[in-house]
Amino acid sequence: MKMSVLASSLCLLGAMASGSVAASELVIEAKIEQAAERVDVPSAHDLAIGEAFAKIGSAFDNIIAANERPFYGVIALMQRGELRYVKTNAYGEAAAPTLDSRVMLASQSKMITAALVMQAVSQGKLALEDKITPYLVSTNLPTYDERITIAQLLSHSSGIASQGKANRFAPGSDFQYSNLGFQVLAKLLEITYQQDFATLVNAFLSEHGVKGIKAQLGAQQGLMAGIEISTQEPMEYDVQMNLLPGGGMTGSATGLLNYLSTLHGGKLLSKEAYQAMMAPKILRPHRWSQLFYGFGVQVNQQGIKEYSHSGYLPGYQSLSLSYPESDTYLVVLENASWPIEQSNQAFGLHDKLRQALRESLMPGSKLENNASAPTQSRL
């Protein structure tokens, strides 16, 4: 089935087998190769970390094996720039996916669009409290509620509604997930830089050495085939601007891990821009309790600082988890989708993996104790 015109509602945040690993040109793979070349005798600290990650790997394997529905795609856990766990499983007779297999990133895209906006803020080209109407009027574009600010679009608190409809609520007073808001943010970036959005994204990533993620309009080639389980239909995407900023970018597990470690490692944005992006802005309804939204990222500070995003498009669903204090990142990229209204079936596996990882990183756990050792890279 070819998806050429995608409504905003298709790219939804999750609200509601081992295989081979290919070589990569990216930094995280280089670090693994360098580690393999070392002949140093492992320290007690290194052995303890290895033991801790062996346990979380075993826990992940058990969760996947016991889950009510199969897993298809790639799971990768990285800590301190080294891969600690990789799991892959192919759908049907397809070739086994690898760390470099590309998928539709769905709403993982929002973290990238938001960071690009924050760079523009750092450069003084945009301000978070700017109203969006003057920018749109300046280029004779249709406008929205004149009270809406850039910050409100970034945090899904604008209440923005389709053209000709009243705003959903007073801007800033509530949360409502909005792909339209990210379409408008992309338009503001195009107005500001006088370049098309895809070019801006790709230049931004390239400038900071992030490979394996791409923004491109039109037919998406070279992806792992995405399957909608309920219909058994393979999905093909022809991405337009109504999808690209909030859900239409493509990437691999290696690419997304590279992006997350670069973002949270302080190499993508200024300290001030990063802190503003990660600060909790508004409480959002979610199956995870007490979950907040920052700018293009979910924020949970219960017990441990966690930054996350989920993604869903027919044929693809994903989860990314970032724990900067222990330099730990997990990505789950599936090239199959289950009905989104059946939340537990669609996202239950992701939730179980998240819970197991959180428990291993919580204060008092062996993994957290080792991650907090003086040799640990911390922000």
Side-chain angles (χ1 to χ4, degrees):
M1 178 182 294
K2 188 169 184 178
M3 306 293 286
S4 57
V5 180
L6 297 173
S8 297
S9 60
L10 285 182
C11 181
L12 296 173
L13 178 69
M16 3 258 132
S18 298
S20 61
V21 179
S24 170
E25 298 177 352
L26 300 187
V27 174
I28 62 173
E29 292 296 318
K31 289 185 178 181
I32 294 170
E33 292 173 4
Q34 292 166 8
E37 293 171 0
R38 291 200 299 265
V39 295
D40 300 340
V41 176
S43 67
H45 171 69
D46 291 334
L47 290 172
I49 288 181
E51 180 184 353
F53 275 103
K55 289 183 177 179
I56 189 62
S58 178
F60 280 3
D61 284 341
N62 291 336
I63 288 169
I64 294 167
N67 195 59
E68 66 180 58
R69 56 90 168 166
F71 159 75
Y72 300 115
V74 180
I75 298 172
L77 175 65
M78 183 175 78
Q79 204 245 6
R80 290 194 294 166
E82 296 188 22
L83 288 174
R84 303 293 187 175
Y85 176 88
V86 175
K87 189 80 167 180
T88 70
N89 192 37
Y91 180 85
E93 300 300 318
T98 74
L99 287 169
D100 294 318
S101 297
R102 299 178 69 86
V103 300
M104 295 295 297
L105 289 177
S107 286
Q108 307 292 340
S109 307
K110 290 181 173 67
M111 289 187 292
I112 300 167
T113 298
L116 187 53
V117 171
M118 295 310 297
Q119 177 179 262
V121 171
S122 293
Q123 295 172 346
K125 296 182 179 296
L126 296 173
L128 290 172
E129 297 311 314
D130 282 352
K131 302 292 195 297
I132 66 172
T133 295
Y135 290 94
L136 300 174
V137 168
S138 70
T139 52
N140 297 315
L141 290 172
T143 60
Y144 300 89
D145 191 302
E146 63 182 13
R147 299 170 293 174
I148 294 174
T149 67
I150 290 174
Q152 290 163 354
L153 292 181
L154 286 166
S155 61
H156 297 290
S157 63
S158 70
I160 192 169
S162 301
Q163 287 291 317
K165 296 185 178 180
N167 218 54
R168 299 178 186 277
F169 47 78
S173 67
D174 202 353
F175 177 94
Q176 186 169 62
Y177 198 76
S178 174
N179 290 294
L180 173 58
F182 274 73
Q183 294 172 36
V184 175
L185 287 170
K187 180 54 65 177
L188 299 185
L189 288 167
E190 289 183 332
I191 293 169
T192 299
Y193 288 101
Q194 291 298 292
Q195 287 184 290
D196 68 89
F197 177 71
T199 297
L200 290 170
V201 169
N202 294 329
F204 176 60
L205 296 175
S206 177
E207 176 188 351
H208 294 92
V210 178
K211 301 178 182 179
I213 294 176
K214 187 175 184 180
Q216 180 181 9
L217 292 174
Q220 304 299 299
Q221 305 293 336
L223 302 183
M224 275 199 294
I227 304 296
E228 192 173 34
I229 295 298
S230 62
T231 63
Q232 296 295 297
E233 287 277 1
M235 310 305 293
E236 298 178 13
Y237 280 88
D238 191 336
V239 173
Q240 305 302 320
M241 275 302 293
N242 67 334
L243 179 63
L244 184 62
M249 299 180 202
T250 65
S252 63
T254 301
L256 190 52
L257 286 172
N258 191 202
Y259 177 77
L260 295 173
S261 61
T262 302
L263 172 63
H264 294 289
K267 300 175 183 178
L268 197 66
L269 297 172
S270 69
K271 181 179 179 180
E272 295 74 19
Y274 172 80
Q275 290 177 341
M277 182 174 171
M278 300 301 149
K281 303 299 187 304
I282 190 164
L283 187 67
R284 64 155 303 174
H286 199 274
R287 62 187 184 277
W288 303 346
S289 62
Q290 291 299 303
L291 186 67
F292 289 82
Y293 208 89
F295 290 156
V297 64
Q298 295 178 155
V299 182
N300 188 313
Q301 297 182 329
Q302 290 183 300
I304 182 173
K305 287 184 179 179
E306 173 193 80
Y307 305 102
S308 66
H309 222 292
S310 296
Y312 184 96
L313 283 170
Y316 301 94
Q317 47 189 66
S318 58
L319 172 69
S320 68
L321 298 170
S322 299
Y323 304 93
E325 290 183 321
S326 61
D327 199 14
T328 302
Y329 306 94
L330 177 71
V331 299
V332 181
L333 301 179
E334 296 198 77
N335 62 316
S337 66
W338 280 258
I340 195 169
E341 64 273 9
Q342 298 176 22
S343 177
N344 188 59
Q345 184 182 54
F347 303 109
L349 173 62
H350 299 189
D351 293 349
K352 294 168 191 173
L353 295 171
R354 170 184 177 261
Q355 185 61 32
L357 182 56
R358 282 177 58 84
E359 289 176 357
S360 73
L361 294 172
M362 286 290 187
S365 72
K366 191 171 185 179
L367 179 57
E368 173 65 15
N369 289 339
N370 281 287
S372 300
T375 56
Q376 173 63 40
S377 173
R378 297 172 64 87
L379 292 179

